[in-house]
Amino acid sequence: MTEKLEQLSIKDIPPPPPGTVFVDDASGTDDSSAGTLERPFQTPAYALYSSPDAPIYVRKSADGQFEPISASMLKKAKKGVDGLVKKIKNAEETAAKKAADDARKLEEAKKIVLVNDSSLPEAKRIKIRDGSKSRESRVVIQGWVHRLRLQKGLAFLVLRDGTGFLQCVLAGDLANAYSTLTLTLESTVTVYGVIHPVPEGKSAPGGHELAVDYYSIVGLAPGGDDAITNKVQESADPSLLLDMRHLVLRGETMTGIFKVRAALLRSFRRVYEDMGILEVTPPCMVQTQVEGGSTLFALKYYGEDAYLTQSSQLYLETCLPALGDVFCVQESFRAERSHTRRHLSEYTHVEAELAFLTFDELLVHIETLLAKTVAYVLEDPEIAEILSKLNPGFKPPQLPFLRMTYDSALDWLNERGVPNEEGEAFKFGDDIAEAAERKMTDEIGEPILLTRFPVEIKSFYMQKCADDPRVTESVDVLMPNVGEITGGSMRIYDLDELMKGYAREGINPEPYYWFNDQRVYGTCPHGGYGLGTERILAWLCDRFTVRDCSLYPRFAGRCKP
């Protein structure tokens, strides 16, 4: 600081003495914490009011130097201080008067006693979603105060119960009661009244509002420093918001995403039902790997080594001879120390295995599943409205999806100068990492079925292509703004070939005896795939990260709350 002060001394201007306060009309601020060289006051009057005995240096222009305040400017500042003192005194008197008035109103409000009028018709208990069917009849609804606005003689609150939002209007004693004047956001209430359509030219959720004739508080949420608006702020650090996830979930965006999620899983099951594919429930605790040992979560299972499953695929394959085509909706776990926006350590995996089909038929099945699922999601008017708010430009995928081979993708990337992870041109055998994949999907702008990946970068169980044994009958489904959402392949169904796959990956085949038996006791061509629910949601809802699409996201360094 001493060096900075000495640098301000030019020509005949003395260096500012210790304790100097600085004023800059262009960039300063009249705040009690200002006055330093880095954060000057804006006006000499406020500087003098704040520090009456301190030397004052003023900068008159943005490119000028700080100079001692002139006598005329100091005289003017002293008059300004008198005005400031009066202004501050008036503000304090006004605040004190308002506080007294508020206290008096609150004391008067305590005299109001709210009574449920027994002469009114008995109220029917409903959920907010049933409001339209219950108009012009007396109802009782319970929920959380989502929004609250008090004005003279009226109070407007928006109630939330998980099924929807309802505007409630309180008038007269109901609006002036102590419980109303001290009501806080996220308090739980029970409201009675009649639902009416909103007047023409007005708007409210559902197109109606509840004229309240009585209400009671079930649980009063804190206000002041502990109010939910102070606990959860959109601009807060993402880590803090994750710590407060249990409160963040109450926001309209989060509730919308998880309603879409429920509709998505419901629609997947509906499509599988249409296709005659049976749901099964494989185990989550396993003793074999599917996608590589480096991403296994290990645990001790009654003294034995076990893992959290990376995929239910191997177990689904064992169901084919008994149950035919099957699917599951299960949690999968990957111990990847990755902090990308599309990776989670725990995610909801929609997987299916299908018997007696070709690779081309598998591709048609996958694109049909995705297109029909989205169509079913959009059939629900409530979900369609939520999606239109979350992702206004969303367009359902059209069949057929674009097909592109791995070789063609490398050519596409090299032609546009997109480098591989080593910063070089792509060559056969390179993995197409997230950045390159996103570049391709975002520029092409439509779903892509990326097929025929090299044997070396795919799993041990994938079937080689008959026309080129260097590549596999494998597919990744790529979506704009997200990248890969689905991975699948035809499975090796010859036991000797499967053993070669184990050997190539350095895997001991003995623990897989039950999986190997599928190639012994009636083998058949078969294939399957896995879909990441959170990635599909990120695509549907236009979210930057899959963490927004998981109720309580788990990733490297995060396992709370």
Side-chain angles (χ1 to χ4, degrees):
M1 177 60 73
T2 303
E3 291 180 1
K4 287 185 178 179
L5 294 177
E6 289 175 351
Q7 289 171 6
L8 292 178
S9 178
I10 58 171
K11 298 182 180 177
D12 299 325
I13 300 174
T20 296
V21 294
F22 297 87
V23 176
D24 188 335
D25 180 66
S27 64
T29 176
D30 283 345
D31 184 276
S32 58
S33 62
T36 64
L37 180 61
E38 292 79 8
R39 195 167 176 267
F41 289 117
Q42 185 178 28
T43 63
Y46 199 91
L48 188 60
Y49 169 78
S50 177
S51 304
D53 300 320
I56 300 175
Y57 269 52
V58 178
R59 182 161 64 184
K60 300 175 182 178
S61 61
D63 56 352
Q65 291 289 325
F66 281 101
E67 301 178 13
I69 189 169
S70 65
S72 60
M73 188 178 290
L74 184 60
K75 184 178 180 181
K76 187 177 179 181
K78 288 178 180 178
K79 291 183 179 179
V81 168
D82 294 339
L84 269 175
V85 170
K86 290 179 182 178
K87 184 178 178 181
I88 291 170
K89 183 179 179 181
N90 288 339
E92 289 173 348
E93 290 175 351
T94 301
K97 184 176 182 299
K98 184 179 183 304
D101 289 343
D102 289 345
R104 178 179 52 78
K105 287 179 182 178
L106 284 175
E107 285 302 312
E108 291 176 358
K110 289 178 180 178
K111 300 174 184 177
I112 299 174
V113 179
L114 302 182
V115 178
N116 191 357
D117 190 344
S118 59
S119 68
L120 293 174
E122 185 178 351
K124 176 186 176 183
R125 187 178 300 277
I126 68 167
K127 294 288 188 180
I128 289 174
R129 66 179 168 224
D130 301 318
S132 295
K133 295 183 291 185
S134 304
R135 288 181 179 180
E136 308 306 334
S137 60
R138 191 165 185 256
V139 299
V140 54
I141 301 173
Q142 294 180 298
W144 289 259
V145 178
H146 188 68
R147 282 196 290 272
L148 177 64
R149 178 165 55 92
L150 304 178
Q151 61 185 61
K152 191 173 183 180
L154 288 173
F156 297 88
L157 68 88
V158 173
L159 198 64
R160 182 189 76 243
D161 73 349
T163 72
F165 299 88
L166 177 67
Q167 179 167 286
C168 304
V169 183
L170 290 73
D173 282 353
L174 286 167
N176 296 322
Y178 180 81
S179 58
T180 305
L181 298 180
T182 56
L183 193 59
T184 51
L185 294 181
E186 293 305 320
S187 294
T188 39
V189 295
T190 301
V191 293
Y192 296 75
V194 178
I195 297 177
H196 303 292
V198 293
E200 189 174 348
K202 302 290 185 180
S203 63
H208 50 233
E209 60 189 12
L210 180 74
V212 179
D213 57 54
Y214 175 72
Y215 85 95
S216 62
I217 295 175
V218 179
L220 185 66
D225 292 342
D226 291 325
I228 192 168
T229 49
N230 291 326
K231 289 281 187 179
V232 177
Q233 299 178 4
E234 285 187 14
S235 59
D237 182 90
S239 182
L240 176 62
L241 292 178
L242 285 170
D243 287 344
M244 294 289 111
R245 188 70 163 189
H246 57 293
L247 298 179
V248 172
L249 291 176
R250 302 182 184 204
E252 289 181 44
T253 297
M254 284 286 106
T255 57
I257 289 171
F258 290 105
K259 286 186 176 183
V260 175
R261 181 187 173 104
L264 176 66
L265 293 174
R266 188 165 62 242
S267 297
F268 271 129
R269 287 187 164 98
R270 183 178 168 191
V271 176
Y272 282 127
E273 183 75 18
D274 292 345
M275 293 177 169
I277 300 176
L278 190 71
E279 183 170 8
V280 295
T281 309
C284 286
M285 291 185 290
V286 301
Q287 291 187 307
T288 51
Q289 68 184 57
V290 181
E291 299 296 335
S294 64
T295 64
L296 285 168
F297 280 109
L299 61 112
K300 281 295 180 182
Y301 185 76
Y302 301 107
E304 292 187 80
D305 291 334
Y307 313 98
L308 295 178
T309 186
Q310 301 162 313
S311 166
S312 297
Q313 175 206 320
L314 306 190
Y315 294 93
L316 292 180
E317 288 190 46
T318 68
C319 296
L320 294 178
L323 302 170
D325 298 344
V326 290
F327 81 96
C328 71
V329 180
Q330 290 276 89
E331 296 304 289
S332 284
F333 305 85
R334 303 279 173 91
E336 294 179 274
R337 293 192 174 277
S338 175
H339 286 275
T340 74
R341 52 177 158 161
R342 66 178 192 178
H343 281 92
L344 292 169
S345 296
E346 177 186 10
Y347 64 99
T348 303
H349 213 172
V350 179
E351 298 182 88
E353 288 295 318
L354 314 169
F356 296 107
L357 82 167
T358 66
F359 184 46
D360 285 339
E361 288 169 336
L362 177 64
L363 298 182
V364 171
H365 166 89
I366 292 172
E367 65 184 359
T368 303
L369 171 76
L370 288 168
K372 285 189 69 174
T373 297
V374 172
Y376 282 160
V377 167
L378 294 173
E379 276 187 7
D380 186 324
E382 180 192 3
I383 302 302
E385 183 179 353
I386 291 172
L387 275 176
S388 71
K389 293 176 181 177
L390 293 173
N391 190 1
F394 179 74
K395 294 180 181 179
Q398 301 299 308
L399 296 175
F401 291 0
L402 175 67
R403 265 81 164 159
M404 179 183 285
T405 66
Y406 169 85
D407 280 340
S408 298
L410 297 191
D411 291 341
W412 190 97
L413 292 166
N414 287 334
E415 286 168 4
R416 288 157 180 78
V418 180
N420 64 12
E421 288 190 288
E422 286 72 43
E424 302 170 351
F426 277 93
K427 60 185 181 301
F428 185 86
D430 285 345
D431 191 16
I432 301 176
E434 181 182 1
E437 185 182 272
R438 289 289 299 271
K439 167 73 175 174
M440 185 166 62
T441 54
D442 292 353
E443 188 166 322
I444 292 174
E446 61 178 294
I448 301 170
L449 293 175
L450 189 58
T451 63
R452 295 168 64 97
F453 288 87
V455 171
E456 290 75 14
I457 62 174
K458 285 297 180 181
S459 296
F460 70 91
Y461 52 75
M462 292 191 180
Q463 181 71 40
K464 294 178 181 177
C465 292
D467 62 339
D468 186 353
R470 300 179 310 150
V471 296
T472 54
E473 290 185 322
S474 52
V475 58
D476 283 354
V477 181
L478 312 180
M479 287 294 184
N481 301 323
V482 177
E484 181 194 347
I485 61 168
T486 305
S489 76
M490 296 299 290
R491 317 309 194 187
I492 294 174
Y493 63 99
D494 178 81
L495 183 59
D496 290 339
E497 279 296 315
L498 183 61
M499 290 300 168
K500 292 177 184 176
Y502 288 132
R504 185 183 70 246
E505 299 298 326
I507 297 172
N508 178 9
E510 289 184 11
Y512 295 82
Y513 70 94
W514 51 275
F515 180 67
N516 302 335
D517 274 354
Q518 306 310 306
R519 280 79 183 162
V520 177
Y521 295 94
T523 191
C524 73
H526 61 286
Y529 53 87
L531 304 97
T533 301
E534 289 79 9
R535 290 190 184 183
I536 294 175
L537 269 175
W539 164 61
L540 278 175
C541 300
D542 192 27
R543 298 297 98 188
F544 177 76
T545 171
V546 294
R547 296 175 187 178
D548 288 345
C549 305
S550 175
L551 194 66
Y552 285 94
R554 300 296 188 239
F555 51 90
R558 167 67 56 177
C559 197
K560 70 174 184 180

